[in-house]
């Protein structure tokens, strides 16, 4: 029986209900139809811009590499919105990648769907910039004014610190530093 590890990604907390539930339903349907065992799930609430800034995806990839499981996503755009990054993940997993929205995860089909996901990201950016320019032209404030207060700055700083502590790459680096110091070595 093929073992699969699910990766779910939504861009904003507002999508938590329906978007996340839909991905889970697609993955569970696929796994049951293919007779695969869903052994672990990873969920992330982050932009799909860059794979390297998504700790849960990196954890899912590591788990798959250690266990030999396949990584499964409901749609290729949940994995990445960049052709190069999509193929980097596929190579890293030694082709143990399943995208439920693809009839086949061969290189040609994957490149077409990944290209469409990348183009959609570009279109989202174009639409957002146009909407912000229109809002600015009308004299409407951009952003949240409360972020410009002393309290807003403190909240932002606290969030950046939390993000730094929660980042899996930072945790790994800290472990290496501690191990080196126990051996009597300095950072130099």
């Amino acid at each position: 029986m093929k073992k699969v590890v699910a990766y779910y990604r939504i861009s904003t907390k507002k999508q938590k209900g329906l978007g996340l539930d839909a991905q889970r339903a697609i993955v569970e349907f696929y796994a049951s139809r293919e007779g695969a065992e869903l052994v672990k799930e990873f969920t992330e609430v982050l932009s799909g811009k860059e794979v390297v800034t998504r700790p849960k995806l990196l954890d899912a990839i590591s788990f798959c590499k250690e266990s030999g499981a396949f990584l499964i996503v409901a749609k290729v755009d949940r994995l990445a919105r960049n052709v190069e990054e999509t193929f980097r993940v596929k190579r890293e997993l030694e082709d143990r990648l399943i995208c439920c929205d693809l009839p086949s995860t061969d290189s040609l089909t994957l490149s077409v769907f990944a290209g469409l996901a990348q183009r959609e990201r570009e279109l989202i950016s174009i639409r957002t910039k146009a909407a912000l320019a229109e809002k600015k032209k009308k004299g409407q404030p951009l952003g949240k004014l409360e972020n410009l207060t002393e309290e807003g700055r403190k909240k932002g700083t606290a969030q950046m610190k939390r993000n730094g502590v929660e980042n899996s790459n930072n945790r790994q680096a800290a472990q290496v530093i501690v191990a080196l110091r126990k051996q009597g070595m300095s950072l130099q």
Side-chain angles (χ1 to χ4, degrees):
M1 176 179 281
K2 184 186 290 187
K3 293 181 187 283
V4 295
V5 172
Y7 174 73
Y8 309 114
R9 183 186 64 78
I10 52 176
S11 300
T12 65
K13 288 182 182 175
K14 292 178 188 174
Q15 297 173 311
K16 208 161 203 155
L18 198 53
L20 201 52
D21 292 344
Q23 288 178 59
R24 189 169 279 116
I26 291 167
V27 166
E28 288 173 357
F29 175 79
Y30 181 94
S32 69
R33 187 186 74 199
E34 297 297 316
E37 179 187 1
L38 185 58
V39 293
K40 196 162 177 112
E41 296 179 329
F42 293 85
T43 303
E44 198 141 50
V45 182
L46 280 174
S47 163
K49 188 174 180 184
E50 293 180 18
V51 169
V52 295
T53 59
R54 291 189 272 143
K56 296 292 185 184
L57 177 56
L58 297 175
D59 291 346
I61 292 169
S62 292
F63 185 86
C64 287
K65 287 166 67 173
E66 291 168 10
S67 66
F70 284 70
L71 182 68
I72 186 170
V73 293
K75 294 175 58 184
V76 71
D77 70 353
R78 300 297 84 202
L79 177 65
R81 287 191 179 267
N82 177 296
V83 176
E84 290 176 47
E85 290 197 349
T86 302
F87 276 90
R88 186 182 63 73
V89 170
K90 185 177 190 239
R91 278 190 306 276
E92 194 171 341
L93 291 171
E94 299 171 350
D95 293 330
R96 290 189 325 274
L97 172 65
I98 300 168
C99 301
C100 297
D101 62 336
L102 302 181
S104 166
T105 313
D106 63 80
S107 294
L108 174 63
T109 308
L110 185 61
S111 67
V112 170
F113 277 73
L116 291 170
Q118 182 171 321
R119 180 62 180 148
E120 178 59 21
R121 187 190 86 217
E122 293 164 356
L123 291 173
I124 290 168
S125 176
I126 291 167
R127 288 191 301 263
T128 301
K129 287 176 183 173
L132 291 172
E134 189 61 31
K135 195 172 180 180
K136 188 175 182 180
K137 193 168 87 175
K138 291 180 180 178
Q140 297 174 334
L142 301 180
K144 297 179 181 176
L145 293 177
E146 62 264 17
N147 289 342
L148 302 177
T149 65
E150 186 61 32
E151 183 182 335
R153 282 190 283 275
K154 286 179 182 177
K155 282 183 180 179
T157 300
Q159 184 61 49
M160 285 191 299
K161 286 179 181 178
R162 276 193 302 277
N163 291 347
V165 168
E166 293 171 4
N167 184 292
S168 63
N169 292 326
N170 291 347
R171 287 195 307 267
Q172 262 185 321
Q175 290 172 350
V176 169
I177 290 167
V178 168
L180 291 173
R181 285 191 175 153
K182 284 182 180 176
Q183 295 173 12
M185 300 175 90
S186 70
L187 292 177
Q188 290 180 339

